[in-house]
């Protein structure tokens, strides 16, 4: 058994042409009260080093799609008329990569805010960059669709351990 809060983000690992990224919206409860959720906000910038005003982005909250397993919360700002737009980044045919062009803010269950940018998806490897809002504790992490997914269709990522998590039996 794995706790429903064992992961924070999930990256699609269906094949070579998917780039969906989900937040963990599950909510446990304690004594009948819902526990805090993971929340995702668009930071209204593409500059990872920019100062982020939480008050300015409070209306930019995104949730996972309830329509498709191909697109999660990070994909919700995409232009659905542009097949190269994945929301968090855009596919560049000349380099065969999805290049990240947006910064997001995650509010984790423990109340901590982290800024995150999906730098790119090159072949089967996602590269993500995240830090505290003040820029401290910056981490760059790669997650590979073939080696970090434990044979599953999603790569589950935990910010506390800064690693992928094996969720399904």
């Amino acid at each position: 058994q794995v706790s429903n809060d064992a992961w924070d983000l999930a990256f699609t690992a269906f094949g070579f042409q998917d780039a969906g990224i989900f937040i963990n919206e599950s909510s446990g409860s304690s004594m009948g009260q819902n526990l805090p959720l993971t929340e995702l906000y668009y930071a209204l910038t593409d500059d990872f080093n920019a100062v982020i005003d939480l008050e300015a982005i409070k209306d930019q909250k995104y949730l996972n799609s309830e329509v498709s397993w191909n697109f999660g919360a990070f994909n919700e700002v995409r232009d659905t008329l542009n097949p190269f737009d994945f929301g968090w980044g855009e596919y560049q045919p000349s380099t065969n990569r999805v290049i990240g062009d947006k910064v997001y803010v995650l509010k984790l269950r423990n109340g901590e805010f982290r800024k995150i940018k999906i730098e790119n998806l090159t072949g089967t490897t996602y590269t993500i960059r995240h830090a505290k809002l003040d820029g401290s504790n910056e981490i760059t992490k790669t997650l590979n669709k073939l080696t970090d997914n434990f044979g599953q269709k999603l790569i589950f990522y935990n910010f506390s351990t800064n690693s992928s998590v094996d969720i399904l039996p």
Side-chain angles (χ1 to χ4, degrees):
Q1 292 183 350
V2 176
S3 170
N4 68 346
D5 62 355
W7 62 280
D8 300 299
L9 300 181
F11 299 78
T12 58
F14 305 139
F16 293 102
Q17 297 183 5
D18 57 282
I21 304 174
F22 302 83
I23 61 171
N24 185 347
E25 293 178 1
S26 68
S27 172
S29 64
S30 176
M31 306 284 284
Q33 300 297 316
N34 285 340
L35 297 175
L37 298 172
T38 302
E39 298 176 3
L40 180 71
Y41 299 88
Y42 174 38
L44 304 174
T45 185
D46 63 352
D47 181 3
F48 189 78
N49 297 312
V51 174
I52 298 170
D53 178 3
L54 291 178
E55 185 63 27
I57 66 170
K58 68 181 180 184
D59 295 328
Q60 301 298 321
K61 184 176 174 180
Y62 290 95
L63 300 171
N64 297 323
S65 171
E66 294 185 12
V67 176
S68 168
W69 277 102
N70 292 319
F71 303 110
F74 280 80
N75 307 102
E76 286 300 300
V77 296
R78 75 189 187 287
D79 175 358
T80 57
L81 299 177
N82 179 356
F84 297 138
D85 187 0
F86 285 95
W88 61 265
E90 189 160 317
Y91 177 69
Q92 305 293 318
S94 62
T95 62
N96 201 28
R97 297 170 52 185
V98 181
I99 305 297
D101 59 7
K102 291 177 184 61
V103 176
Y104 292 88
V105 172
L106 273 170
K107 181 179 179 187
L108 301 174
R109 285 182 167 83
N110 64 6
E112 177 185 1
F113 287 93
R114 295 201 57 91
K115 59 183 171 179
I116 181 170
K117 183 173 186 179
I118 313 305
E119 293 286 341
N120 61 65
L121 171 59
T122 302
T124 60
T125 303
Y126 292 95
T127 301
I128 65 173
R129 180 179 175 197
H130 59 90
K132 292 184 177 185
L133 291 184
D134 66 5
S136 65
N137 196 23
E138 182 177 323
I139 295 169
T140 299
K141 180 74 176 171
T142 59
L143 299 166
N144 188 288
K145 292 181 180 188
L146 303 176
T147 59
D148 290 315
N149 69 351
F150 300 98
Q152 301 165 25
K153 299 294 184 188
L154 296 169
I155 302 168
F156 296 96
Y157 181 75
N158 181 302
F159 278 93
S160 298
T161 62
N162 196 36
S163 63
S164 55
V165 180
D166 188 2
I167 296 293
L168 303 174

